[in-house]
């Protein structure tokens, strides 16, 4: 994560004499001493910037103590007793010096203070900084663009049910009147565009595929709203074709790493041409608390044949459209998730059941440039009708029966007790044979239920023992 703070200038520029007493005191609480001497006097730029550093020190104080006490104007706050010694203490003291010229600049803080004990996140390259890694799960080509999973989702007793993105974030507008090739010549260049055209024609006439319409991600923004700062994600889509997706994927896979970085200097950005698909990966925890893994079939056309995946993997398509709301078309991501669970595992959810589907994380499979969202459904959830709270044995019988349309994609189904140590053991023994996004999905679900710190602890223990 990258924590960014801005802008303290508002606290300095307000004329405190024009504010009500309580509001004026609020602004004073975040101001440097020199800004409180005479609010009518203009401050020189250099002093103004050093005043910001004092305000940053006050933010550090608040983060360490959880309180912002009223203080005398010519004094810094009393440092926390448990601060101890080290880089954080040095940073805290230097930012809260009364003389503005004695404080460090922002550049000095970034380039020196943060490098005392760890890697500075602002100076590492994007190529090495953003790929998903966790404990011994290294060398992935998965980038986490946004995730709701953090320690706050589980209370001290581990009893709080994790939550995903609000339902309104998962009903997204789709543009369907654009030619998917419109921007290819301009953004790819003539040589790559020729490659694209060749591959597009080959995929369009391939006998093993249907050139159906699919959904391409075209916009991704994140924000926090309301007094509780509820985290939301805004996704925008366009309609494309399967041949377009495969042709653009072929072009991307043929690029060297330097060229990929030029096209996508920030991996969490949505590229207007290479972003040609969007899928869901929904893990399943059965009503008797078994986590479902499946092994992919060794057949032509199957992605990652022979590898383990988990739950259901499904691409968004026109089957998930809602065209009943005026002149715009929407794709319902929960509908996609439900369709995948039904077709791949015979898990049928409908009506209020769908509220139990929890989507938490948006990611990019960088090696193939395919966007997706992952989450889970816990079939013991009381929001699911009792008759549809399936056990592992029930799902296994459906999987081997006739109720799963896509069962040819999998050769077996494997259940692991959904307990922290047993899940970690299975991951450690089998992660070499996990399909692309499975490592990420499994870790995110474990974090959601067992807590980020506990999952990190057990994976680090495995890492050090190996």
């Amino acid at each position: 994560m990258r924590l960014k703070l801005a802008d303290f200038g508002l606290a300095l520029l307000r004329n405190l004499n024009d504010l009500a007493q309580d509001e004026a005191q609020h602004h004073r609480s975040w101001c440097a001493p020199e800004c409180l001497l005479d609010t009518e006097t203009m401050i020189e730029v250099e002093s103004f910037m050093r005043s910001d550093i004092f305000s940053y020190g006050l933010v550090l104080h608040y983060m360490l103590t959880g309180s912002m006490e009223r203080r005398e104007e010519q004094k810094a706050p009393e440092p926390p007793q448990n601060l101890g010694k080290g880089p954080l203490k040095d940073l805290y003291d230097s930012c809260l010096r009364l003389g503005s010229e004695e404080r460090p600049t922002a550049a000095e803080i970034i380039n020196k203070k943060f490098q005392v004990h760890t890697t500075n996140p602002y100076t590492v390259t994007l190529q090495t900084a953003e790929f998903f890694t966790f404990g011994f799960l290294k060398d992935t080509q998965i980038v986490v663009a946004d995730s709701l999973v953090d320690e706050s989702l589980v209370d001290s007793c581990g009893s709080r049910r994790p939550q995903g993105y609000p339902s309104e974030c998962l009903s997204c507008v789709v543009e369907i009147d654009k030619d998917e090739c419109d921007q290819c010549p301009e953004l790819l260049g003539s040589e790559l565009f020729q490659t694209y055209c060749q591959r597009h024609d080959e995929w369009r006439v391939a006998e093993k595929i249907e050139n159906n319409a699919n959904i391409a991600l075209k916009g991704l923004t994140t924000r926090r709203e309301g007094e509780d700062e509820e985290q939301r994600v805004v996704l925008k889509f366009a309609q494309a074709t399967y041949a377009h997706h495969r042709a653009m994927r072929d072009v991307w896979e043929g690029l060297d790493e330097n060229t990929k970085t030029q096209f996508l200097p920030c991996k969490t950005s949505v590229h207007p041409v290479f972003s040609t698909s969007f899928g869901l990966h929904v893990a399943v925890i059965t009503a008797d608390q078994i986590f479902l893994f499946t092994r992919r079939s060794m057949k032509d056309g199957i992605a990652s044949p022979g590898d383990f995946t988990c739950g259901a993997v499904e691409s968004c398509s026109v089957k998930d459209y809602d065209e009943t709301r005026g002149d715009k078309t929407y794709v319902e991501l929960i509908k996609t998730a439900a369709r995948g669970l039904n077709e791949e595992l015979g898990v049928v959810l409908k009506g209020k059941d769908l509220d139990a589907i929890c989507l938490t994380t948006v990611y990019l499979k960088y090696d193939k440039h395919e966007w997706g969202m992952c989450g889970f459904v816990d079939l013991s959830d009381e929001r699911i009708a009792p008759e549809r709270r399936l056990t592992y044995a029930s799902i296994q019988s459906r999987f081997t029966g006739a109720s799963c349309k896509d069962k040819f994609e999998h050769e077996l189904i494997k259940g692991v007790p959904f307990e922290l140590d047993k899940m970690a053991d299975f991951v450690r023994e089998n992660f070499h044979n996990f399909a692309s996004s499975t490592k990420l999905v499994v870790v995110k679900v474990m974090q959601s239920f067992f807590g980020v710190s506990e999952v990190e602890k057990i994976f680090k223990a495995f890492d050090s023992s190996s």
Side-chain angles (χ1 to χ4, degrees):
M1 296 188 300
R2 294 184 176 187
L3 180 64
K4 300 181 181 182
L5 301 173
D7 180 352
F8 305 117
L10 292 176
L12 307 180
L13 296 175
R14 296 292 299 272
N15 187 336
L16 302 183
N17 296 325
D18 295 338
L19 300 177
Q21 183 176 355
D22 289 345
E23 190 178 359
Q25 182 59 47
H26 175 75
H27 284 278
R28 289 177 186 274
S29 297
W30 299 98
C31 285
E34 62 271 17
C35 298
L36 299 173
L37 295 177
D38 183 358
T39 58
E40 299 295 335
T41 303
M42 293 297 293
I43 304 174
E44 294 182 0
V45 173
E46 180 63 27
S47 296
F48 180 86
M49 295 172 69
R50 301 293 178 112
S51 298
D52 265 1
I53 299 302
F54 192 92
S55 297
Y56 171 65
L58 294 174
V59 172
L60 289 178
H61 178 82
Y62 178 80
M63 293 171 69
L64 291 165
T65 64
S67 64
M68 191 65 209
E69 71 270 15
R70 296 170 182 257
R71 57 187 173 82
E72 297 182 27
E73 294 180 356
Q74 295 304 308
K75 288 186 178 180
E78 290 294 326
Q81 294 181 354
N82 61 350
L83 187 54
K85 297 181 180 180
L88 181 56
K89 176 68 163 57
D90 294 341
L91 176 63
Y92 179 96
D93 289 341
S94 64
C95 291
L96 291 173
R97 289 170 182 157
L98 294 181
S100 61
E101 70 283 353
E102 299 176 6
R103 301 169 201 146
T105 64
E108 289 170 342
I109 292 175
I110 291 174
N111 294 322
K112 296 179 181 179
K113 299 295 184 181
F114 279 108
Q115 290 183 333
V116 174
H117 66 295
T118 187
T119 302
N120 181 356
Y122 291 92
T123 59
V124 294
T125 63
L126 290 172
Q127 186 63 32
T128 58
E130 294 185 350
F131 288 125
F132 167 78
T133 59
F134 200 89
F136 56 85
L137 300 178
K138 298 179 174 66
D139 302 322
T140 70
Q141 288 286 299
I142 298 288
V143 180
V144 179
D146 185 66
S147 182
L148 283 178
V149 179
D150 60 31
E151 202 67 68
S152 66
L153 293 180
V154 181
D155 65 18
S156 59
C157 300
S159 60
R160 181 181 174 189
R161 187 173 294 281
Q163 300 297 315
Y165 291 113
S167 58
E168 57 267 29
C169 297
L170 306 175
S171 180
C172 312
V173 174
V174 183
E175 294 182 357
I176 58 174
D177 58 347
K178 297 288 182 70
D179 181 350
E180 71 269 13
C181 306
D182 278 350
Q183 296 175 304
C184 289
E186 178 182 351
L187 296 180
L188 289 180
S190 59
E191 183 176 346
L192 290 180
F193 182 63
Q194 289 178 2
T195 302
Y196 164 82
C197 292
Q198 177 185 349
R199 299 299 296 146
H200 185 275
D201 290 344
E202 292 173 359
W203 282 111
R204 191 173 56 186
V205 298
E207 295 181 358
K208 294 181 180 180
I209 72 162
E210 292 288 338
N211 190 26
N212 296 321
N214 71 338
I215 307 300
L217 182 67
K218 293 301 177 184
L220 166 66
T221 56
T222 58
R223 62 193 185 206
R224 292 182 179 271
E225 295 182 348
E227 293 182 357
D228 295 333
E229 294 191 338
E230 185 179 34
Q231 187 168 337
R232 294 174 178 267
V233 63
V234 180
L235 303 169
K236 295 181 180 180
F237 295 95
Q239 183 171 298
T241 64
Y242 185 70
H244 172 63
H245 162 58
R246 292 305 299 262
M248 288 308 308
R249 196 174 85 171
D250 290 345
V251 172
W252 176 264
E253 290 182 311
L255 302 177
D256 58 49
E257 289 304 316
N258 288 334
T259 306
K260 287 181 179 179
T261 302
Q262 292 174 11
F263 275 117
L264 202 70
C266 178
K267 296 182 180 65
T268 57
S269 299
V270 178
H271 194 278
V273 172
F274 286 108
S275 300
T276 59
S277 66
F278 193 83
L280 296 183
H281 195 152
V282 184
V284 175
I285 305 162
T286 66
D288 50 347
Q289 296 299 284
I290 301 294
F291 191 93
L292 295 185
F293 287 92
T294 55
R295 187 188 293 277
R296 294 272 175 83
S297 298
M298 301 289 291
K299 298 177 181 177
D300 290 342
I302 299 297
S304 306
D307 285 347
F308 272 114
T309 185
C310 63
V313 182
E314 190 66 48
S315 297
C316 293
S317 79
V318 297
K319 299 176 182 178
D320 312 312
Y321 278 0
D322 178 359
E323 299 180 293
T324 63
R325 290 184 277 175
D327 58 349
K328 292 184 178 180
T329 298
Y330 290 77
V331 61
E332 306 289 345
L333 300 184
I334 292 297
K335 189 175 179 180
T336 303
R339 180 166 56 83
L341 291 167
N342 181 14
E343 293 180 357
E344 293 193 19
L345 296 169
V347 175
V348 179
L349 299 177
K350 52 188 176 182
K352 292 294 185 181
D353 302 344
L354 301 180
D355 293 338
I357 297 176
C358 186
L359 300 176
T360 65
T361 303
V362 183
Y363 63 88
L364 170 66
K365 292 193 287 186
Y366 184 76
D367 55 341
K368 299 182 183 300
H369 207 292
E370 296 177 335
W371 283 95
M373 179 182 278
C374 68
F376 62 89
V377 60
D378 179 0
L379 296 179
S380 68
D381 195 311
E382 62 276 3
R383 291 171 291 188
I384 298 175
E387 65 273 16
R388 291 191 285 276
R389 297 177 196 169
L390 301 180
T391 64
Y392 174 62
S394 298
I395 294 177
Q396 200 170 32
S397 64
R398 291 171 181 235
F399 182 78
T400 56
S403 60
C404 299
K405 293 182 181 179
D406 293 340
K407 64 183 179 182
F408 68 91
E409 294 185 5
H410 309 291
E411 66 180 25
L412 66 83
I413 185 171
K414 168 74 175 177
V416 177
F418 193 56
E419 302 169 15
L420 179 57
D421 55 345
K422 293 180 180 179
M423 286 290 294
D425 285 340
F426 184 85
V427 173
R428 188 186 188 195
E429 294 170 4
N430 296 279
F431 76 93
H432 297 97
N433 297 318
F434 276 9
S436 178
S437 59
T438 306
K439 296 176 187 177
L440 170 69
V441 177
V442 171
V443 168
K444 288 297 180 182
V445 176
M446 291 175 67
Q447 289 177 331
S448 294
F449 283 85
F450 304 121
V452 174
S453 59
E454 290 301 310
V455 177
E456 183 174 1
K457 187 186 305 180
I458 197 167
F459 274 67
K460 281 186 175 180
F462 285 152
D463 199 11
S464 59
S465 65
S466 59

